[in-house]
């Protein structure tokens, strides 16, 4: 009986840590919840970093980015999706800049209008791919972010 009790305690602690670690993602999913509509194009196994609200999360190789007619959706692969609900951001809500998070690749910092407290850092090629589907609704600048680079990797 004591073993079962110990396993339940460990599972609850692990679940609590995973939930706390997903705080920034849940913040974005709460604001940008909704249906995206038909898929235009999709990229699997992409990397991203969420920065804000006092810390950061690295989501290396577990993100699926999907472009739709009105916006872009972000989803964590099912195996890692606990506490990570998908969210859809309209193109018009996205502003982006160059940043220096990744040491070995160009990066872009994306800011979402309705959630400015959390930034999403993607490889620059992914941000440019999203912008190529946005029909000039999304702003992606070659300049540095006005408040300075959030990524210091």
């Amino acid at each position: 009986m004591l073993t079962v009790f110990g396993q339940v305690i460990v599972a609850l602690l692990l679940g609590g840590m995973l939930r706390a670690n997903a705080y920034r993602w849940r913040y974005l999913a709460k604001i940008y919840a909704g249906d995206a509509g038909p898929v235009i194009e999709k990229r699997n196994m992409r990397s991203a970093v969420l920065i804000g609200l006092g810390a950061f999360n690295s989501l290396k190789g577990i993100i699926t980015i999907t472009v739709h007619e009105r916006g872009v959706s972000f989803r964590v692969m099912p195996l890692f999706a606990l506490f990570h609900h998908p969210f859809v951001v309209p193109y018009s809500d996205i502003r982006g800049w160059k940043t220096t998070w990744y040491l070995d690749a160009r990066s872009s910092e994306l800011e979402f209008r309705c959630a400015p407290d959390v930034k999403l850092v993607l490889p620059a090629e992914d941000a440019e791919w999203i912008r190529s589907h946005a029909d000039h609704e999304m702003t992606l600048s070659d300049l540095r972010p006005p408040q300075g680079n959030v990524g210091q990797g």
Side-chain angles (χ1 to χ4, degrees):
M1 184 69 173
L2 190 56
T3 303
V4 173
F5 180 72
Q7 290 174 343
V8 168
I9 294 296
V10 168
L12 288 173
L13 287 172
L14 183 60
M17 289 173 26
L18 290 172
R19 188 173 193 283
N21 193 41
Y23 180 72
R24 282 159 289 287
W25 187 277
R26 287 185 296 115
Y27 173 78
L28 291 173
K30 182 179 178 182
I31 292 171
Y32 288 109
D35 183 31
V39 173
I40 294 175
E41 202 172 333
K42 168 165 69 168
R43 286 188 172 185
N44 293 313
M45 299 179 68
R46 309 312 293 179
S47 296
V49 178
L50 286 173
I51 304 167
L53 303 174
F56 72 92
N57 293 79
S58 179
L59 301 161
K60 188 157 181 71
I62 62 171
I63 303 284
T64 297
I65 304 171
T66 309
V67 290
H68 306 271
E69 187 176 320
R70 296 181 301 138
V72 60
S73 65
F74 298 92
R75 176 182 303 270
V76 174
M77 290 171 57
L79 183 62
F80 305 99
L82 188 63
F83 305 116
H84 292 83
H85 301 290
F87 61 91
V88 181
V89 182
Y91 295 123
S92 59
D93 277 13
I94 303 172
R95 296 187 314 161
W97 301 273
K98 284 184 181 179
T99 193
T100 59
W101 186 269
Y102 294 106
L103 293 175
D104 59 348
R106 297 177 349 171
S107 303
S108 293
E109 169 191 329
L110 302 183
E111 178 183 74
F112 307 126
R113 183 182 331 152
C114 295
D117 297 333
V118 175
K119 312 287 191 276
L120 181 72
V121 178
L122 297 170
E125 75 174 57
D126 288 339
E128 290 164 3
W129 174 75
I130 293 169
R131 189 181 52 110
S132 72
H133 290 85
D135 289 333
H136 304 291
E137 291 183 60
M138 175 182 157
T139 305
L140 190 58
S141 174
D142 285 334
L143 303 174
R144 298 285 179 200
Q147 69 276 18
N149 289 335
V150 294
Q152 303 300 318

